[in-house]
Amino acid sequence: MSTDDTTEETVEYAPEHTPRLNWAQHAPEVYKAMIRLEAAAGKGLDPKLRELVKIRASQLNHCAFCLDMHTKDALAGGESVERIVQLSAWEESRHFYTEKEIAAIELTEAVTVLTDGFVPDEVYEKAAKHFDEPELAQLIAAITMINAWNRFGVTTRMVPGHYTPGQHG
């Protein structure tokens, strides 16, 4: 019996699921319009903040494809692993984020989880204190866009794990 520590343990992961539909291929005009809307929605927002918003909405919507994409883009853009990891529990780790980022995260949650009925006035007003009106309009657009992307990703079961940073943008 050998005591050689150089042998690697083989780990067998669950098989990768198959996407239901390549919606971009079958609705190319919609996809192209979404790309244009995405570019317009992102203008004027801090790139790190924009990625935090995309990650948080994708966590709430359980969109694995978008989580894969936006965590990789955030890391490539200089975001820390710690802040990305803590984002799902941001209320318990507020000290990792600025007050402006917290306002954006809260607005993201309110816009994403509309099953509560509406975006509460206090959440909107807090965001309005940290963002001027043009920037707030862009933030709302960015939140809306990631929610739309999440719906395409979740509905068609887009497969995570193959994205490389900057691939789509």
Side-chain angles (χ1 to χ4, degrees), residues 1-2 25 35 38 40 48 54 65 77 98 120 134 149:
M1 181 163 212
S2 173
Q25 177 185 0
I35 294 293
E38 177 68 31
K48 284 186 178 182
K54 290 177 181 183
F65 181 85
T98 67
W149 286 118

Side-chain angles (χ1 to χ4, degrees), residues 109-110 112-120:
E109 289 189 359
T112 300
V113 188
L114 287 176
T115 54
D116 292 343
F118 59 94
V119 174

Side-chain angles (χ1 to χ4, degrees), residues 78-94:
E79 187 55 83
S80 73
V81 171
E82 193 169 46
R83 284 171 31 104
I84 292 169
V85 169
Q86 291 299 321
L87 191 55
S88 65
W90 68 269
E91 290 177 283
E92 295 295 322
S93 53
R94 298 171 75 90

Side-chain angles (χ1 to χ4, degrees), residues 58-99:
S58 299
Q59 289 171 337
L60 293 167
N61 288 322
H62 305 279
C63 186
F65 181 85
C66 291
L67 280 169
D68 180 51
M69 175 188 295
H70 296 296
T71 56
K72 288 175 179 175
D73 282 347
L75 289 167
E79 187 55 83
S80 73
V81 171
E82 193 169 46
R83 284 171 31 104
I84 292 169
V85 169
Q86 291 299 321
L87 191 55
S88 65
W90 68 269
E91 290 177 283
E92 295 295 322
S93 53
R94 298 171 75 90
H95 59 285
F96 287 99
Y97 309 99
T98 67
E99 288 301 317

Side-chain angles (χ1 to χ4, degrees), residues 92-155:
E92 295 295 322
S93 53
R94 298 171 75 90
H95 59 285
F96 287 99
Y97 309 99
T98 67
E99 288 301 317
K100 185 174 185 174
E101 290 168 336
I102 290 169
I105 293 165
E106 288 176 338
L107 185 62
T108 299
E109 289 189 359
V111 171
T112 300
V113 188
L114 287 176
T115 54
D116 292 343
F118 59 94
V119 174
D121 290 339
E122 60 274 7
V123 170
Y124 184 87
E125 289 164 8
K126 184 175 183 181
K129 287 179 186 173
H130 292 281
F131 297 87
D132 63 26
E133 287 186 345
E135 192 178 24
L136 183 57
Q138 291 299 127
L139 176 60
I140 293 166
I143 295 167
T144 301
M145 287 307 304
I146 190 57
N147 274 279
W149 286 118
N150 289 166
R151 275 132 183 87
F152 283 117
V154 170
T155 303

